[in-house]
mmCIF file with all atom_site columns, all heavy atoms in Angstrom:
data_model
loop_
_atom_site.group_PDB
_atom_site.id
_atom_site.type_symbol
_atom_site.label_atom_id
_atom_site.label_alt_id
_atom_site.label_comp_id
_atom_site.label_asym_id
_atom_site.label_entity_id
_atom_site.label_seq_id
_atom_site.pdbx_PDB_ins_code
_atom_site.Cartn_x
_atom_site.Cartn_y
_atom_site.Cartn_z
_atom_site.occupancy
_atom_site.B_iso_or_equiv
_atom_site.pdbx_formal_charge
_atom_site.auth_seq_id
_atom_site.auth_comp_id
_atom_site.auth_asym_id
_atom_site.auth_atom_id
_atom_site.pdbx_PDB_model_num
ATOM 1  N N   . ILE X 1 25 ? 53.311 -24.254 31.383 1.00 94.00 ? 25 ILE X N   1
ATOM 2  C CA  . ILE X 1 25 ? 52.873 -25.325 30.480 1.00 94.00 ? 25 ILE X CA  1
ATOM 3  C C   . ILE X 1 25 ? 53.290 -26.675 31.046 1.00 94.00 ? 25 ILE X C   1
ATOM 4  O O   . ILE X 1 25 ? 54.418 -26.843 31.508 1.00 94.00 ? 25 ILE X O   1
ATOM 5  C CB  . ILE X 1 25 ? 53.474 -25.153 29.069 1.00 94.00 ? 25 ILE X CB  1
ATOM 6  C CG1 . ILE X 1 25 ? 52.987 -23.851 28.430 1.00 94.00 ? 25 ILE X CG1 1
ATOM 7  C CG2 . ILE X 1 25 ? 53.104 -26.327 28.172 1.00 94.00 ? 25 ILE X CG2 1
ATOM 8  C CD1 . ILE X 1 25 ? 53.601 -23.570 27.068 1.00 94.00 ? 25 ILE X CD1 1
ATOM 9  N N   . VAL X 1 26 ? 52.379 -27.618 31.023 1.00 96.00 ? 26 VAL X N   1
ATOM 10 C CA  . VAL X 1 26 ? 52.676 -29.002 31.373 1.00 96.00 ? 26 VAL X CA  1
ATOM 11 C C   . VAL X 1 26 ? 52.420 -29.848 30.135 1.00 96.00 ? 26 VAL X C   1
ATOM 12 O O   . VAL X 1 26 ? 51.350 -29.760 29.517 1.00 96.00 ? 26 VAL X O   1
ATOM 13 C CB  . VAL X 1 26 ? 51.816 -29.492 32.549 1.00 96.00 ? 26 VAL X CB  1
ATOM 14 C CG1 . VAL X 1 26 ? 51.955 -31.001 32.736 1.00 96.00 ? 26 VAL X CG1 1
ATOM 15 C CG2 . VAL X 1 26 ? 52.211 -28.773 33.838 1.00 96.00 ? 26 VAL X CG2 1
ATOM 16 N N   . LEU X 1 27 ? 53.397 -30.646 29.743 1.00 96.00 ? 27 LEU X N   1
ATOM 17 C CA  . LEU X 1 27 ? 53.255 -31.510 28.575 1.00 96.00 ? 27 LEU X CA  1
ATOM 18 C C   . LEU X 1 27 ? 52.727 -32.879 28.990 1.00 96.00 ? 27 LEU X C   1
ATOM 19 O O   . LEU X 1 27 ? 53.176 -33.450 29.983 1.00 96.00 ? 27 LEU X O   1
ATOM 20 C CB  . LEU X 1 27 ? 54.598 -31.684 27.867 1.00 96.00 ? 27 LEU X CB  1
ATOM 21 C CG  . LEU X 1 27 ? 55.239 -30.426 27.274 1.00 96.00 ? 27 LEU X CG  1
ATOM 22 C CD1 . LEU X 1 27 ? 56.542 -30.786 26.565 1.00 96.00 ? 27 LEU X CD1 1
ATOM 23 C CD2 . LEU X 1 27 ? 54.291 -29.728 26.312 1.00 96.00 ? 27 LEU X CD2 1
ATOM 24 N N   . VAL X 1 28 ? 51.789 -33.402 28.199 1.00 95.00 ? 28 VAL X N   1
ATOM 25 C CA  . VAL X 1 28 ? 51.282 -34.757 28.404 1.00 95.00 ? 28 VAL X CA  1
ATOM 26 C C   . VAL X 1 28 ? 51.764 -35.594 27.228 1.00 95.00 ? 28 VAL X C   1
ATOM 27 O O   . VAL X 1 28 ? 51.333 -35.386 26.091 1.00 95.00 ? 28 VAL X O   1
ATOM 28 C CB  . VAL X 1 28 ? 49.742 -34.786 28.483 1.00 95.00 ? 28 VAL X CB  1
ATOM 29 C CG1 . VAL X 1 28 ? 49.248 -36.210 28.707 1.00 95.00 ? 28 VAL X CG1 1
ATOM 30 C CG2 . VAL X 1 28 ? 49.240 -33.863 29.584 1.00 95.00 ? 28 VAL X CG2 1
ATOM 31 N N   . LEU X 1 29 ? 52.682 -36.518 27.490 1.00 95.00 ? 29 LEU X N   1
ATOM 32 C CA  . LEU X 1 29 ? 53.179 -37.399 26.433 1.00 95.00 ? 29 LEU X CA  1
ATOM 33 C C   . LEU X 1 29 ? 52.185 -38.533 26.236 1.00 95.00 ? 29 LEU X C   1
ATOM 34 O O   . LEU X 1 29 ? 51.851 -39.248 27.178 1.00 95.00 ? 29 LEU X O   1
ATOM 35 C CB  . LEU X 1 29 ? 54.568 -37.951 26.782 1.00 95.00 ? 29 LEU X CB  1
ATOM 36 C CG  . LEU X 1 29 ? 55.767 -37.082 26.363 1.00 95.00 ? 29 LEU X CG  1
ATOM 37 C CD1 . LEU X 1 29 ? 55.711 -35.712 26.994 1.00 95.00 ? 29 LEU X CD1 1
ATOM 38 C CD2 . LEU X 1 29 ? 57.075 -37.776 26.655 1.00 95.00 ? 29 LEU X CD2 1
ATOM 39 N N   . ASP X 1 30 ? 51.690 -38.668 25.012 1.00 92.00 ? 30 ASP X N   1
ATOM 40 C CA  . ASP X 1 30 ? 50.600 -39.597 24.707 1.00 92.00 ? 30 ASP X CA  1
ATOM 41 C C   . ASP X 1 30 ? 51.137 -40.963 24.282 1.00 92.00 ? 30 ASP X C   1
ATOM 42 O O   . ASP X 1 30 ? 51.750 -41.098 23.226 1.00 92.00 ? 30 ASP X O   1
ATOM 43 C CB  . ASP X 1 30 ? 49.743 -38.995 23.591 1.00 92.00 ? 30 ASP X CB  1
ATOM 44 C CG  . ASP X 1 30 ? 48.532 -39.852 23.255 1.00 92.00 ? 30 ASP X CG  1
ATOM 45 O OD1 . ASP X 1 30 ? 48.253 -40.805 24.001 1.00 92.00 ? 30 ASP X OD1 1
ATOM 46 O OD2 . ASP X 1 30 ? 47.869 -39.554 22.248 1.00 92.00 ? 30 ASP X OD2 1
ATOM 47 N N   . PHE X 1 31 ? 50.862 -41.975 25.094 1.00 92.00 ? 31 PHE X N   1
ATOM 48 C CA  . PHE X 1 31 ? 51.263 -43.348 24.794 1.00 92.00 ? 31 PHE X CA  1
ATOM 49 C C   . PHE X 1 31 ? 50.074 -44.203 24.342 1.00 92.00 ? 31 PHE X C   1
ATOM 50 O O   . PHE X 1 31 ? 50.155 -45.422 24.330 1.00 92.00 ? 31 PHE X O   1
ATOM 51 C CB  . PHE X 1 31 ? 51.945 -43.976 26.005 1.00 92.00 ? 31 PHE X CB  1
ATOM 52 C CG  . PHE X 1 31 ? 53.285 -43.385 26.315 1.00 92.00 ? 31 PHE X CG  1
ATOM 53 C CD1 . PHE X 1 31 ? 53.391 -42.290 27.150 1.00 92.00 ? 31 PHE X CD1 1
ATOM 54 C CD2 . PHE X 1 31 ? 54.437 -43.890 25.735 1.00 92.00 ? 31 PHE X CD2 1
ATOM 55 C CE1 . PHE X 1 31 ? 54.627 -41.712 27.427 1.00 92.00 ? 31 PHE X CE1 1
ATOM 56 C CE2 . PHE X 1 31 ? 55.678 -43.322 25.998 1.00 92.00 ? 31 PHE X CE2 1
ATOM 57 C CZ  . PHE X 1 31 ? 55.769 -42.230 26.844 1.00 92.00 ? 31 PHE X CZ  1
#
Side-chain angles (χ1 to χ4, degrees):
I25 297 177
V26 170
L27 297 182
V28 180
L29 273 59
D30 183 10
F31 291 89

